[in-house]
Amino acid sequence: MIENNTAGNVNWDELDNKQSLSNSQLSELVEMYESTMREISENEVLKGKVVGITDREVLVNVGFKSDGVVSISEFRDLPELKVGDEVDVYIEQQEDANGQIILSRKKAMAVSAWKSIDEAFKNDTIIEGVIKRRTKGGLIADVFGIEAFLPGSQIDVKPIRDFDIYVGKKMELKVVKINYANDNVVVSHKVLIEKDLEAQRQQILNNLEKGQVLEGVVKNITHFGVFVDLGGVDGLLHITDISWGRITHPSEVLELDQKVNIVVLDFDEDKKRISLGMKQLQPHPWDSLDAAIQVGSRVMGRIVNVADYGAFLEIKPGVEGLIHVSEMSWSQHLRNPQEFLQIGDEIQAEVLTIDREERKMSLGIKQLTEDPWTNTEVHQKYAANTRHKGIVRNLTNYGLFLELQEGIDGLVHISDLSWTKKIKDPKEFVKIGEELEVVVLELDIEQRRLALGHKQLEENPWDTFATIFVPNSVHQGTVVNKTDKGTSIELAYGVQGFASTKYLVREDGSKIELGETADFKVVEFSKEEQRIVLSHVATYRSGDASKGKRKKEDGSDEEFDGEEAKTSIKDVEATTSLADNDALSQLKEDMKDNNKQ
């Protein structure tokens, strides 16, 4: 009988010499053999030993009654694989049609990798990965054979502009997110740097003081300034603190990753905001301004800004002077400074005022040319009674200002616009920018004043009207306007007279309505005030033209007094108008014909 307390004590030589075994002996032997087999299950990772290698497969003994098969392609990373090597394999299927176990080394590596990643995530441990390639928004890192996503914002504490420099390099990482449903892993390198920088950042903040000079690196550039990395702490270098000279964008002076020396201007410990300055490390340009620059000096510069009120001329970086719009031209009419100057223009100007302590300077460019009011030829040119044409530059409620030439403006009073029209607002007569012909009424050199007139281009027609519309004379007229206080009546030659409404009653008691024509008697004529007072009632009343009776609506008589009309006219602007120059010419011709007759 065979002694086999354990499978390891079986005497196989003795067994081979026996010709046959009893059934009980065979069953016992099988039971002993099966007891040495490992219990395995699918989807399990086991360690096995390579027992054979072919061109297509690798045979692996995992302690089961049959060897497992793995595709040779899964061992490409182990070109020197040999029989006897131990490898991890994944049980895909316990037995195929040939009775062999189907194994996968690739899946075993994946399961092992996910296990390692999960442990690193739970334990917050640092792992190592190799950057395989660049992708949209970041990088792909190989971690334990699994592809993990490294976002661009998690590469470093400072913005990364070139991701390609990391491809192929090893990098320490931390797992920050796992999506088991999609098998996605997100890793970060930035969190490792931040921990290292936190102590350094706190040390910098504790030692920070106003006036402290530090070295930093330009981290980001915006239109309003530059963010400087001070070694884990960012500070803002405002555009106005970059240079003493005026700049439109920080990129004109600085570039990314540039090392700069800066000074701490202010520090908010609660908000951890640091204001930095760079120009403060240089002396102010005003302190080195040439002492020869005084009032009356002429300086060259470049226009760096144009505003509604003037332009700024940069004499040297950090030294600017204001050219007020009133100092750009001898003209008293203020215009837009952009009509004279543009940004970038290089011009000469004269110093009008300078305050070195306040670092202010006012300049002028009109002073480079002769003041036209001091020119004797100009005095002769604009002598009284001379005629000129100019451009309307400004309108006021009392008149208009006319520019005869650059620097020579004159006032046309509203009363000097027309002989016959009662103008309430100059804009009824002319518009800004239009050309107007005038006569010089008065020239005051000392006060730089020029009184002009437009109506004086023609003779005063009221001299002629005085010989026609004499008191008590009767003329035909048409009612053209009616108000509560009176009525305007248009007479011959376009001139208008005024009649109180109660003196528009006909002899039969009816009233003369708007648009109707009737005879009117002149009650009053005033050349100085340019008014004509009329009455229809006076045409059929005998005796004093200013007195009479008229029928009221109820049939009774009432007396009227011409003096009432004179009083009423003072409350109403008596509008008179001469149609045009042709009407005045016709009037003169009629007068000549009457004289001949």
Side-chain angles (χ1 to χ4, degrees):
M1 190 171 178
I2 301 174
E3 298 292 334
N4 56 351
N5 294 330
T6 63
N9 295 330
V10 176
N11 190 340
W12 294 103
D13 292 335
E14 181 181 353
L15 194 62
D16 289 340
N17 294 329
K18 301 295 182 179
Q19 295 181 350
S20 63
L21 295 173
S22 65
N23 290 336
S24 60
Q25 291 175 328
L26 184 60
S27 297
E28 184 180 358
L29 182 63
V30 170
E31 184 179 349
M32 291 173 60
Y33 173 73
E34 290 181 348
S35 67
T36 65
M37 298 296 102
R38 177 186 294 179
E39 293 293 333
I40 64 173
S41 60
E42 293 182 359
N43 303 326
E44 183 182 359
V45 176
L46 299 174
K47 190 174 289 293
K49 181 181 292 185
V50 177
V51 295
I53 301 175
T54 69
D55 294 338
R56 299 177 60 187
E57 299 172 333
V58 175
L59 299 178
V60 180
N61 182 3
V62 293
F64 197 57
K65 59 185 177 181
S66 62
D67 295 331
V69 179
V70 183
S71 174
I72 190 69
S73 63
E74 296 190 23
F75 293 90
R76 290 175 181 172
D77 60 322
L78 296 175
E80 298 182 0
L81 182 69
K82 62 183 182 298
V83 174
D85 290 347
E86 288 188 347
V87 294
D88 290 333
V89 289
Y90 177 83
I91 309 299
E92 284 194 285
Q93 188 177 348
Q94 286 193 3
E95 287 183 295
D96 63 0
N98 297 324
Q100 291 181 314
I101 305 173
I102 305 303
L103 305 175
S104 172
R105 179 172 175 266
K106 181 178 180 180
K107 289 186 177 181
M109 294 174 63
V111 171
S112 177
W114 275 104
K115 184 178 180 181
S116 299
I117 289 173
D118 190 57
E119 290 178 354
F121 180 58
K122 291 178 179 178
N123 299 327
D124 195 30
T125 56
I126 300 174
I127 58 178
E128 189 177 81
V130 178
I131 306 302
K132 295 178 64 177
R133 65 182 182 276
R134 178 178 178 175
T135 188
K136 184 179 179 180
L139 299 169
I140 297 297
D142 186 333
V143 180
F144 303 124
I146 300 296
E147 289 190 348
F149 177 56
L150 176 58
S153 61
Q154 295 298 315
I155 298 175
D156 205 335
V157 292
K158 60 183 180 181
I160 302 300
R161 288 172 288 279
D162 185 9
F163 291 175
D164 293 330
I165 62 175
Y166 295 94
V167 176
K169 294 183 178 180
K170 291 183 179 181
M171 184 179 290
E172 288 187 335
L173 305 167
K174 268 197 174 183
V175 180
V176 294
K177 185 178 180 181
I178 299 178
N179 189 331
Y180 294 99
N182 298 324
D183 292 340
N184 289 337
V185 182
V186 180
V187 293
S188 172
H189 178 67
K190 177 182 178 180
V191 293
L192 300 176
I193 302 175
E194 287 179 334
K195 286 187 176 181
D196 295 338
L197 290 177
E198 184 59 34
Q200 183 180 350
R201 180 186 295 112
Q202 195 59 45
Q203 184 179 1
I204 293 174
L205 293 175
N206 293 337
N207 298 328
L208 207 60
E209 296 178 358
K210 291 184 180 180
Q212 186 177 6
V213 178
L214 301 172
E215 183 182 70
V217 178
V218 177
K219 181 178 180 180
N220 192 20
I221 298 177
T222 68
H223 68 279
F224 58 85
V226 172
F227 288 95
V228 180
D229 184 1
L230 304 176
V233 179
D234 289 348
L236 174 61
L237 175 60
H238 196 268
I239 185 172
T240 57
D241 292 312
I242 294 177
S243 170
W244 288 115
R246 191 187 294 259
I247 60 175
T248 56
H249 197 274
S251 59
E252 298 175 16
V253 180
L254 300 172
E255 58 185 22
L256 291 172
D257 299 327
Q258 180 180 345
K259 289 185 178 181
V260 292
N261 289 325
I262 40 79
V263 60
V264 178
L265 301 180
D266 197 9
F267 172 52
D268 188 330
E269 189 171 355
D270 295 332
K271 298 181 180 180
K272 295 184 179 180
R273 292 180 179 174
I274 307 173
S275 298
L276 305 174
M278 193 168 74
K279 71 181 184 181
Q280 289 79 3
L281 297 176
Q282 304 294 329
H284 199 290
W286 269 92
D287 297 337
S288 59
L289 186 64
D290 191 348
I293 298 179
Q294 300 292 336
V295 174
S297 301
R298 293 191 175 185
V299 293
M300 285 293 298
R302 180 175 64 92
I303 299 297
V304 292
N305 189 29
V306 179
D308 294 338
Y309 53 85
F312 289 90
L313 185 71
E314 185 181 62
I315 310 303
K316 58 185 293 189
V319 178
E320 297 178 5
L322 172 64
I323 307 174
H324 193 268
V325 63
S326 62
E327 303 299 337
M328 294 181 181
S329 168
W330 288 111
S331 173
Q332 296 178 2
H333 170 68
L334 298 183
R335 283 177 273 180
N336 191 325
Q338 292 185 348
E339 294 183 23
F340 301 96
L341 300 169
Q342 301 291 329
I343 293 179
D345 289 350
E346 293 186 359
I347 63 168
Q348 188 180 43
E350 183 174 309
V351 178
L352 304 181
T353 65
I354 183 169
D355 188 332
R356 294 178 182 269
E357 292 184 1
E358 294 294 328
R359 294 170 177 170
K360 292 181 180 180
M361 183 189 307
S362 62
L363 306 171
I365 57 176
K366 72 180 184 182
Q367 289 77 9
L368 304 180
T369 59
E370 183 185 14
D371 182 355
W373 282 96
T374 62
N375 191 318
T376 55
E377 293 182 0
V378 173
H379 302 167
Q380 297 174 0
K381 179 179 179 180
Y382 298 110
N385 298 321
T386 56
R387 293 192 175 195
H388 306 277
K389 290 183 178 180
I391 303 298
V392 178
R393 292 299 186 187
N394 193 22
L395 299 176
T396 68
N397 58 353
Y398 56 84
L400 61 89
F401 287 91
L402 198 72
E403 185 178 58
L404 301 179
Q405 70 174 63
E406 186 75 21
I408 300 295
D409 290 2
L411 171 65
V412 182
H413 194 271
I414 192 171
S415 62
D416 289 316
L417 290 174
S418 174
W419 287 113
T420 57
K421 290 183 180 179
K422 192 68 175 180
I423 300 173
K424 298 179 180 180
D425 194 322
K427 65 183 179 182
E428 300 173 4
F429 187 83
V430 71
K431 296 179 181 179
I432 292 178
E434 290 184 349
E435 187 178 66
L436 187 69
E437 188 175 6
V438 292
V439 174
V440 176
L441 304 181
E442 182 183 355
L443 175 64
D444 188 337
I445 301 297
E446 293 183 0
Q447 298 296 325
R448 294 172 177 259
R449 291 177 182 175
L450 197 60
L452 307 174
H454 176 70
K455 71 181 184 181
Q456 288 78 4
L457 294 171
E458 303 169 353
E459 294 180 18
N460 187 351
W462 286 88
D463 293 335
T464 304
F465 293 159
T467 64
I468 299 175
F469 302 104
V470 295
N472 294 323
S473 62
V474 178
H475 305 271
Q476 193 176 63
T478 302
V479 177
V480 294
N481 187 32
K482 296 185 74 173
T483 65
D484 294 339
K485 294 183 178 182
T487 302
S488 296
I489 300 168
E490 185 171 351
L491 302 171
Y493 312 110
V495 69
Q496 290 185 1
F498 173 82
S500 180
T501 304
K502 59 186 178 181
Y503 298 128
L504 298 180
V505 181
R506 293 188 177 92
E507 193 170 3
D508 60 4
S510 62
K511 294 182 179 179
I512 303 173
E513 300 297 338
L514 185 67
E516 293 183 349
T517 301
D519 289 336
F520 293 90
K521 181 176 286 188
V522 177
V523 177
E524 178 188 358
F525 180 89
S526 175
K527 172 185 172 183
E528 290 73 19
E529 299 181 16
Q530 297 182 359
R531 74 184 181 194
I532 304 173
V533 181
L534 304 170
S535 171
H536 175 70
V537 174
T539 60
Y540 58 84
R541 295 290 186 183
S542 60
D544 189 349
S546 64
K547 294 182 179 181
K549 293 182 178 181
R550 67 174 180 184
K551 293 286 185 181
K552 297 200 300 183
E553 293 183 0
D554 58 3
S556 60
D557 293 334
E558 72 172 350
E559 293 186 353
F560 68 88
D561 188 350
E563 293 299 325
E564 293 182 18
K566 297 179 182 179
T567 303
S568 299
I569 195 67
K570 295 178 181 178
D571 301 326
V572 181
E573 291 184 349
T575 58
T576 59
S577 63
L578 188 63
D580 49 33
N581 291 338
D582 293 338
L584 180 58
S585 299
Q586 184 62 45
L587 177 60
K588 293 178 179 179
E589 293 296 327
D590 293 345
M591 293 296 294
K592 291 180 180 179
D593 292 341
N594 291 335
N595 292 334
K596 291 179 181 179
Q597 293 176 5

